[in-house]
Amino acid sequence: MKGFVPLRQGATIGFLGGGQLGRMMAMAAARLGLKAHVYAPAGDNPAFDVAARHTVAAYEDEAALSRFAAQVDVVTYEFENVPARTAEVIGQKHPVLPGPRALATTQDRLLEKDFVRSLGVETAPYMAVDDGGALARAVAAIGRPSILKTRRFGYDGKGQTAVRMGADLGGLFRGLGGAPCILEGMVAFEKEVSVVAARGHDGAFAAYDLCENVHENHILAKTLAPARAGAATQARAVEIARAIAEALDYVGVFAVEMFLVRDDTGERLLVNEIAPRVHNSGHWTLDGALTSQFEQHIRAIAGWPLGATARHGARVEMTNLIGDQMDRWPGILAEPGAMPQFYGKAETRAGRKMGHVTRIF
């Protein structure tokens, strides 16, 4: 980003969102001598515990947003569904990073798929679905089973439903609220992989090892780094990430989620989603790499040099603690070599990410 003046020691970074990602970014900022001011609506906000300041207000409260923006030097976020108006209000005083093009592209699954395809990168087959008739036409073209997803919002399996043989198409569309959707074809993939990378204001680029992700009930359960994939596949993943970052003029850390498909021609990568933020599949870097993804993001948006991304050990494994799995914490603390991060959330709920533990082999 041209014209950006690197932050000085003691500067304040504003964070939109008070969850675990904001918490770990705020901790990384403090490690680098920077202050964190977290803005989030009322609720369980564990990032507040480690921030120098926090503001409790709605994302639609423009007066509160303006006061917040006046007290920080740059603003970032921990979730990609930041309301466009929120970013616009803050952007009148400071850059919101990553920038508006990255937000607009990744907030809409159809725009995102079109963007990825425009780079010459393969995705699953897809079609826009704006009404029940369009869904019928899309199913006729793509086939079943397939997946109907809302174009906006949704994560960890939310905002989507499978389209199987005999399914009531009109009922499926209404079940997602009748919102604009996208139908995606099922991919016979061998494994799900992702690459976490960063780009600075000056165009500097750095990527971590391609990692392998295991999901349970649509929620990431475990990440292994490096992924069990060929050298050419790993290099291609980084090449895809670099192309995405350059095309979006991206500043900060992001993740590219991909399917690894194996067929007669060998291994191929299909991009599934882009996450314009630090990402759960990059949590292994917190203890398993020379520079964590959280510190890397702070370095990038501050205009500072990016850190080294080399991995510790031959293999790193990160396991999420979901729901009542958090009850295992005494045993984890007693395990030699286990490196836990507990998020300090007040309430344990099924499907809620409560912490993670990293092991280096």
Side-chain angles (χ1 to χ4, degrees):
M1 182 177 291
K2 295 179 180 179
F4 183 84
V5 178
L7 298 187
R8 300 175 62 121
Q9 282 287 314
T12 299
I13 297 177
F15 296 91
L16 297 174
Q20 68 265 22
L21 301 182
R23 177 186 177 97
M24 288 182 275
M25 286 191 289
M27 293 168 70
R31 181 173 181 268
L32 295 176
L34 298 166
K35 295 181 175 63
H37 185 163
V38 178
Y39 185 110
D44 191 356
N45 290 299
F48 288 179
D49 296 340
V50 299
R53 299 191 63 181
H54 67 263
T55 293
V56 180
Y59 294 121
E60 296 76 22
D61 186 337
E62 296 192 9
L65 289 170
S66 294
R67 290 192 297 271
F68 166 71
Q71 297 168 1
V72 302
D73 297 292
V74 69
V75 177
T76 189
Y77 47 86
E78 68 158 14
F79 66 110
E80 55 264 53
N81 291 317
V82 175
R85 180 58 183 166
T86 299
E88 182 180 336
V89 170
I90 294 173
Q92 293 170 5
K93 287 188 170 66
H94 296 295
V96 178
L97 301 169
R101 187 176 179 206
L103 268 181
T105 301
T106 57
Q107 283 181 344
D108 186 313
R109 287 185 170 101
L110 180 62
L111 293 181
E112 183 179 73
K113 288 284 195 298
D114 287 346
F115 164 72
V116 170
R117 286 279 186 95
S118 75
L119 299 177
V121 176
E122 192 175 359
T123 70
Y126 65 93
M127 287 182 66
V129 173
D130 293 324
D131 52 46
L135 177 56
R137 292 189 293 273
V139 169
I142 292 176
R144 311 187 199 206
S146 46
I147 305 175
L148 182 66
K149 301 179 180 180
T150 55
R151 283 176 55 174
R152 298 177 64 84
F153 309 113
Y155 63 95
D156 288 347
K158 300 178 179 68
Q160 60 182 267
T161 186
V163 180
R164 303 190 186 281
M165 296 301 297
D168 173 9
L169 298 183
L172 292 179
F173 185 73
R174 290 190 297 272
L176 291 178
C181 290
I182 180 173
L183 185 74
E184 298 181 8
M186 289 280 199
V187 175
F189 59 86
E190 181 178 279
K191 60 189 68 172
E192 295 178 80
V193 297
S194 60
V195 61
V196 174
R199 184 174 180 271
H201 289 272
D202 60 356
F205 177 84
Y208 294 92
D209 291 319
L210 181 68
C211 57
E212 182 174 333
N213 303 310
V214 179
H215 291 80
E216 296 176 1
N217 300 317
H218 302 288
I219 300 174
L220 181 64
K222 184 175 293 187
T223 295
L224 309 172
R228 292 166 291 186
T233 299
Q234 297 186 41
R236 174 59 177 159
V238 172
E239 181 181 274
I240 289 170
R242 185 190 291 270
I244 288 170
E246 293 292 338
L248 293 175
D249 194 21
Y250 195 91
V251 176
V253 163
F254 65 103
V256 185
E257 299 177 63
M258 293 171 271
F259 299 123
L260 189 154
V261 176
R262 190 183 302 277
D263 54 26
D264 293 341
T265 64
E267 295 178 346
R268 292 185 296 122
L269 292 171
L270 281 65
V271 168
N272 182 33
E273 290 185 355
I274 305 166
R277 53 175 170 80
V278 291
H279 192 256
N280 196 174
S281 70
H283 286 6
W284 68 269
T285 67
L286 189 55
D287 292 296
L290 291 177
T291 307
S292 77
Q293 67 165 342
F294 305 101
E295 179 180 328
Q296 193 78 297
H297 185 70
I298 299 302
R299 285 170 174 251
I301 65 173
W304 294 358
L306 298 182
T309 58
R311 182 184 72 251
H312 295 308
R315 178 169 59 90
V316 182
E317 180 180 296
M318 185 284 298
T319 304
N320 275 330
L321 301 174
I322 301 169
D324 60 10
Q325 293 175 353
M326 185 63 189
D327 295 342
R328 304 173 187 171
W329 68 266
I332 293 170
L333 289 177
E335 178 188 337
M339 291 168 282
Q341 289 284 333
F342 302 143
Y343 301 153
K345 294 183 177 180
E347 182 184 358
T348 300
R349 296 195 301 267
R352 194 178 197 201
K353 295 168 184 172
M354 302 299 297
H356 71 264
V357 58
T358 303
R359 298 172 176 89
I360 299 174
F361 301 93

